[in-house]
Every structure is written in C-alpha cells, then in structure tokens.
Amino acid sequence: MSAPRLRVDTPERAGLDPEEIRHLAWDVEGLTRGGRPWAAGAVVVAGRGPVIAVQRAAGWAVRYAAYDPEAGAGVELPPGRRVAMTVDTPFDLASLTKLFTSVAAVQQIERGTLGIDTRIGAYLPDFRAAAAHGVTVRQLLTHTSGLRPELPLYDCADDTERLELLRAEAPVDAPGTYRYSDLNMLLLQQLLERMTGRGLDVLVRDGITRPLGMTSTGFGPCPGAAATEDQRRPWAKADRGPLRGVVHDENAWALGGVAGHAGLFSTGRDLAVFCRALLAGGAYGPARVLGPDFAELLLTPPGLGFAVDQPWFMGELAGRGAAGHTGFTGTSLVLDPATDIFLVLLANTVHPVRRPPDSAPRARAGTRLARAVR
C-alpha cells in the first residue's frame, strides 16, 4: 500500500493554526533583512502529515561578491547581479549529510549485513586505533565512540596520507562518552563502502534519494546552489575564495566532495519528502526505504545520527521526542513523530563569511510550529 505523498494546502487542512504559520513565514523573511542579517537568504518548508502548510523563500541565494576583513563586512553585489532565493534553490547541507549516512547504515542493519553492536574492527581491521579500543557501529551512530571532533585532513598531501590519519586515530575519551564528531561518520562511510563495494554517493542515491523521488538531492558540484563563504585563512582552514555549488566543509572538499559528514546538496521540498518518509515509517508513495521498526530506531533516544529533544535549535518542539539536526552552513530540519509535523529551515548563514553560531532563529521557528499544532 502506498504512503501518501506531500501536497501543498492550507494550514487548516494540516491541522495547524494559520496565524502561527503566517508568523512563522514572517519571522523567516525577517531573518534576511537589514545590513547584517542572520542570513543572506532562507527557505522554510513546514507542515503536518502529508500537507505542506508553508513554503517560503526570502532574501538572496547570492548577495555578496566577497568578504572584506578590514571592514568586517561583505562586499555587496550590485542589485542586478544578485541571485534571488527561491523555494527550489539547493543548499549545501553540511552536517545534514550525516542523516543520510545514518539511514544508509541502518538499511544495512535491517538487511542483516551489518551488526549495530559489532566492533568496527570486524569490518575495518586496518583502522587499528579505533579497532583496538573496541569502537562499535552503534557508538559511531550515536557519537559515543570517544573520537575527537575532526582531523586536519585538508592539510594532508594526498588521499593516502588522509586515510592513514584516520586509521591511526584513537579515541580521546573512553568509548561510550558522548562527543560529537565528524570522524564517526567518516569511519562509517569507510565501513559502508568496504562492505558493499559501492561509494557513499551511490548508496545514498540508489537507497534513499532515487526511491523517494528526491531529484534535487545529491553530492556536488551543484552550480545553482546558494552561495556560502569567501573561504580564506585565517577565518577558514583553506584558501579557496568565494564558494558556490562546491562543498563548504574543508575536509569534505579534501576528500573529493563525498564524505560521511558533509557534501550533500538539497532543497527544502526534497528534505520535506525525507522527513515525511521517516514520519511515515520509512515509506513515501510506493517506495519504502526502511521498515517501520528501523525508521523508529533512527529517531528513538538517543537517536542514530539524529539528535533528539534539543531545545537549543528545536525550541518548544523539544521535550516530546522530536528529532533533527543542524548544519554549519545554516541548514536544519526537525520532525516530531508525536504530532506528525516537520520543519525544514535552510539558510546561507556563512555567506559571505562564517560567524559565531546562533540557533535562536531556528528555535523560534520550532516554537512557532509547536504552538501551531491544534
């Protein structure tokens, strides 16, 4: 039996308060206004059940030509050369990529080809340091491996040196200790590719995005994407200049753009489909990418790849089992199985330069949607 597909309809048809939904859209528009806005541009897609109650774009996909460190501000493009944000604009998802890597891993767990509590040394014996400490697949998925947040792979001379760094990296905390780490998803990528003989990009495409009809989702390059950063040292880790359509994360860039922790591009509508499929127990339309029990496993505390009940970016959606994630470039999504609602908020907050993280607007959006539930 097919699961319902998304359709655009009124907030009332979705069982959501129209006034709160209007305020949610206005709030997002306000994030892109002023001389130094929270983001140059933003897209919000939110709804309940199979209904998209709001999809709104605001601001600019490309607003700045560069960043001027002496002025501490972006160099504005003339209005005629700016690119307006639309609801179809793709974004560099940054760490939202981790969710797709996690789903790809849970698909293997469901098939019985991967053991969730098996030590990764059984699959990656050459990753000797993590193997020696008994790191398990579950610990990679829950960020409890004890591995440090990242390694400077972008400073390595070649892929051989990068791989050797990963193989020699031991946990800095005792396995079982929570420490959010990109390395977890890089090791998980290595494991998946080793056991399946296919690249992560192929696993994501064939196992998730193609069955779900997410035609605007994939690893870069993505020429029409929202611009990210004028990436230069000392504020960045590499000197690459203004970036648009190529991965922002320096390690993912060094790895060729396909990485377990970053590299995917997508749109608000495609991510709404992803949320809808998980809320519907792994199915969307005629496609099923996970069984209901395994879709639930992803979202059950502490979450496999997904963060659960985090008020710092979920607002009042937290506290009742809502799950989601954020991305460094300004992306986020939240889905709440208890009320069947989803919220996708995409913004290019690092355009033209990275800044101290501020998730207050994400939390306000989550609170708006939580209060809209009738």
Side-chain angles (χ1 to χ4, degrees):
M1 183 176 179
S2 292
R5 295 179 183 270
L6 287 171
R7 69 180 192 276
V8 178
D9 212 325
T10 63
E12 292 90 340
R13 291 286 180 87
L16 297 171
D17 181 78
E19 191 66 18
E20 290 289 354
I21 295 300
R22 278 193 291 271
H23 279 290
L24 170 58
W26 293 339
D27 288 349
V28 171
E29 288 180 356
L31 298 175
T32 68
R33 296 184 182 134
R36 296 195 180 188
W38 183 70
V43 171
V44 62
V45 182
R48 188 179 191 186
V51 177
I52 293 176
V54 59
Q55 54 179 356
R56 187 73 61 88
W60 304 99
V62 184
R63 176 174 174 173
Y64 305 98
Y67 175 68
D68 182 349
E70 292 187 4
V75 179
E76 299 257 9
L77 286 165
R81 292 181 54 199
R82 299 178 190 177
V83 179
M85 191 70 76
T86 74
V87 293
D88 298 318
T89 299
F91 285 77
D92 179 337
L93 295 187
S95 284
L96 295 193
T97 302
K98 293 181 172 76
L99 304 182
F100 290 80
T101 304
S102 298
V103 170
V106 172
Q107 287 176 329
Q108 297 299 321
I109 293 167
E110 180 177 17
R111 292 167 190 160
T113 55
L114 180 65
I116 191 169
D117 289 312
T118 301
R119 297 184 178 191
I120 67 167
Y123 303 98
L124 299 172
D126 50 322
F127 283 68
R128 53 195 180 276
H133 284 76
V135 173
T136 68
V137 173
R138 187 189 297 271
Q139 287 167 348
L140 296 181
L141 284 164
T142 56
H143 294 286
T144 55
S145 68
L147 290 166
R148 75 178 81 183
E150 66 172 5
L151 285 169
L153 304 178
Y154 46 83
D155 281 338
C156 294
D158 52 34
D159 286 344
T160 299
E161 187 177 336
R162 293 182 191 102
L163 192 57
E164 184 52 35
L165 264 186
L166 286 170
R167 285 172 172 158
E169 181 65 16
V172 295
D173 294 319
T177 305
Y178 179 83
R179 180 188 282 259
Y180 180 80
S181 172
D182 291 348
L183 302 186
N184 291 317
M185 294 299 156
L186 287 174
L187 264 63
L188 197 57
Q189 175 189 4
Q190 291 290 326
L191 189 159
L192 291 170
E193 293 182 342
R194 180 82 58 88
M195 66 179 294
T196 64
R198 295 188 290 168
L200 181 64
D201 53 341
V202 177
L203 292 172
V204 169
R205 182 193 68 207
D206 291 352
I208 304 171
T209 61
R210 181 181 285 169
L212 295 179
M214 298 172 62
T215 57
S216 298
T217 304
F219 288 93
C222 182
T228 55
E229 187 176 29
D230 180 5
Q231 198 169 88
R232 289 180 277 154
R233 299 179 193 263
W235 57 83
K237 301 162 190 171
D239 288 305
R240 301 169 61 201
L243 303 180
R244 184 187 184 199
V246 292
V247 65
H248 173 270
D249 182 90
E250 292 94 340
N251 274 342
W253 163 69
L255 292 165
V258 178
H261 70 290
L264 273 177
F265 290 78
S266 189
T267 63
R269 177 63 182 242
D270 265 20
L271 289 177
V273 170
F274 182 65
C275 291
R276 183 69 229 136
L278 292 175
L279 286 168
Y284 184 78
R288 177 169 292 283
V289 296
L290 282 172
D293 291 346
F294 290 90
E296 183 180 356
L297 182 65
L298 274 168
L299 310 178
T300 300
L304 301 182
F306 288 78
V308 180
D309 288 340
Q310 299 294 314
W312 63 274
F313 78 92
M314 297 179 181
E316 291 181 12
L317 286 178
R320 54 194 188 186
H325 214 287
T326 64
F328 186 80
T329 51
T331 59
S332 63
L333 64 80
V334 185
L335 48 132
D336 180 22
T339 54
D340 206 22
I341 58 178
F342 59 89
L343 170 65
V344 177
L345 178 57
L346 305 176
N348 52 351
T349 57
V350 297
H351 179 52
V353 73
R354 65 189 68 191
R355 64 187 81 181
D358 175 14
S359 278
R362 295 181 179 119
R364 284 196 295 271
T367 295
R368 285 283 187 200
L369 187 57
R371 292 178 179 178
V373 176
R374 289 177 165 176

